[in-house]
Structure formats: structure tokens, C-alpha cells
Amino acid sequence: MKKLLKIDEEMKRLWPAVRVGCFQYKVKIEKKNEDMWTYLKKDIYKKTKNAIFDYGVNDIPNIKQSRMAYKAFGKDPSRYRVSSEALIRRIGQGKGLYEVNTVVDANNLISVESGFSAGSYDADKIGDELIFRVGREDETYQGIGKDEVNIANLPVLSDYEGAVGSSTSDSRRAMITEDTKEVLTLIYSFSDNDDLEKAIEYGEEYLVKYAGAQEIISWIVK
């Protein structure tokens, strides 16, 4: 069943440009796709380092707008970085990206190339109705590889059980594992441009080519 995602009106009031690109698909998780890592290291790392040289990390297109949105929501973007910025900083520092699995790796490729935060969730572990909203005061969840994450004032994805992810750090509840069969991948855009539409196009290509996505559908929520 296709997930129903809405953007909270208060979030829209604070940052009218917010949109979410969505992919939902079936998948068989693999450990690694060698072709993707060859492409990432040969082309995307170089492109990313050039962008850092041209702009500085904070002013890279779509990262700049995400940082501005975080400030509008009441969160310090230097303490709680949008995930795309964190990934791009790793590349700039020569650390490269973590190898996780084919879905997460393709997710991170989309994030680095677009400058948008992207998150992938086990569709069987989240509700069918979702809302993208601003985190509430004192709201937390257990992060992936972390203790409790303070998600107050962060942009968060939530279902009937509560927050399940954010554009900074996702929760353990819906993390992608080798047992995941169906995935919801979201691209969180805070930019008023056509880069999200472009990311939907090459994102679908990457998910099919590198993550083995099947029966994939894509759409944009405004």
C-alpha cells in the first residue's frame, strides 16, 4: 500500500518552500554494490570536493537553504546538521562514506549529489499515514548507533506511534536491515528550485541500478 504523507501546516508557515520527494519500492537487501562505489569514488567525490572549494560547505546549494530552514524552526544547524551536510563534510575531510548496505548507500549517494537530506525507512515498520512536522519540545528517540537524539525543533517524520526519522538523524525503529523487504525513501527539500525534480529522476535510476529496487513508484508532496 502506498504511504500517505502530509506536510504539517505549521511547518509550511515557518518555511513555505518545504517539499518531500518520495520513493516506495520492493527490494532484496545486499551488502554492497561495487559499481555504485566505483561511481561514487570516481565521480561524486570529485564533484563534491569541487563544490566545497567553490562555495564552502555551508553555502552549497540546498544545504544553505536547509540550514536557513533549521534556524526558522528554532534549531542550530551548526550543532544539528542536516544529514547531507554531514556526509559532504566527511568527503571534504577525506574520510569518505560508511558502507552500510545497498539501500542506505544509494540513499547517501542521492543525498550527497543533491545536497538534500534523504532518509530510507522499512515500510513494514512505519504506519501508512505519515506527517512531516517540527519536533516538539523535549521530544526524543533512539538514534541509529546513538543514544537518545534530541529532535525538538528538528524537521521530523512521524506516524501514529510518534517520530520515526528526521533530516538529521533517523531512529532505530524503521532502520533498513537485511530483513527489509519494502522501503520508503524520502528526499527532504527546503529549497524553492527544481533540484528536487531532478533528484527524483536520478534518484529513481540509482535505486533501481544500485539498490535493486523493484515496483518503484515516485511522487512529490507539497
Side-chain angles (χ1 to χ4, degrees), residues 37-87:
W37 281 97
T38 298
Y39 171 62
L40 186 69
K41 292 175 180 178
K42 181 180 178 182
D43 297 322
I44 300 302
Y45 280 9
K46 182 177 184 296
K47 180 180 176 182
T48 301
K49 289 176 181 177
N50 288 342
I52 293 172
F53 180 81
D54 290 340
Y55 295 99
V57 176
N58 290 358
D59 288 327
I60 289 175
N62 302 324
I63 288 179
K64 180 179 181 179
Q65 290 86 350
S66 297
R67 291 176 62 88
M68 292 168 62
Y70 272 41
K71 290 179 181 178
F73 300 146
K75 205 70 168 182
D76 181 355
S78 296
R79 288 192 61 200
Y80 293 87
R81 291 191 174 112
V82 64
S83 63
S84 53
E85 179 185 341
L87 294 172

Side-chain angles (χ1 to χ4, degrees), residues 5-9 12 16-22 196-197 219-222:
L5 173 64
K6 295 182 179 180
I7 299 173
D8 182 67
E9 289 299 325
K12 287 183 179 180
V18 61
R19 295 183 296 160
V20 183
C22 310
L196 180 58
E197 284 78 5
W219 69 101
I220 292 176
V221 176
K222 301 179 180 180

Side-chain angles (χ1 to χ4, degrees), residues 158-194:
S158 184
D159 65 5
Y160 64 95
E161 290 186 31
V164 69
S166 81
S167 48
T168 287
S169 177
D170 289 320
S171 75
R172 289 185 57 83
R173 172 155 67 98
M175 65 184 288
I176 304 298
T177 71
E178 61 183 12
D179 297 322
T180 300
K181 305 299 182 187
E182 187 170 0
V183 177
L184 179 70
T185 293
L186 303 180
I187 303 175
Y188 300 112
S189 169
F190 302 101
S191 301
D192 186 15
N193 57 33
D194 63 356

Side-chain angles (χ1 to χ4, degrees), residues 108-172:
N108 290 343
L109 169 59
I110 295 168
S111 186
V112 168
E113 183 161 355
S114 67
F116 295 127
S117 171
S120 290
Y121 310 94
D122 188 321
D124 293 329
K125 296 181 179 177
I126 57 177
D128 291 330
E129 296 185 8
L130 304 160
I131 187 164
F132 192 43
R133 60 173 173 80
V134 178
R136 303 185 182 103
E137 195 67 30
D138 298 323
E139 193 171 15
T140 66
Y141 56 49
Q142 186 177 8
I144 298 174
K146 303 177 182 179
D147 295 325
E148 291 294 301
V149 177
N150 172 15
I151 57 173
N153 301 113
L154 277 179
V156 298
L157 178 71
S158 184
D159 65 5
Y160 64 95
E161 290 186 31
V164 69
S166 81
S167 48
T168 287
S169 177
D170 289 320
S171 75
R172 289 185 57 83

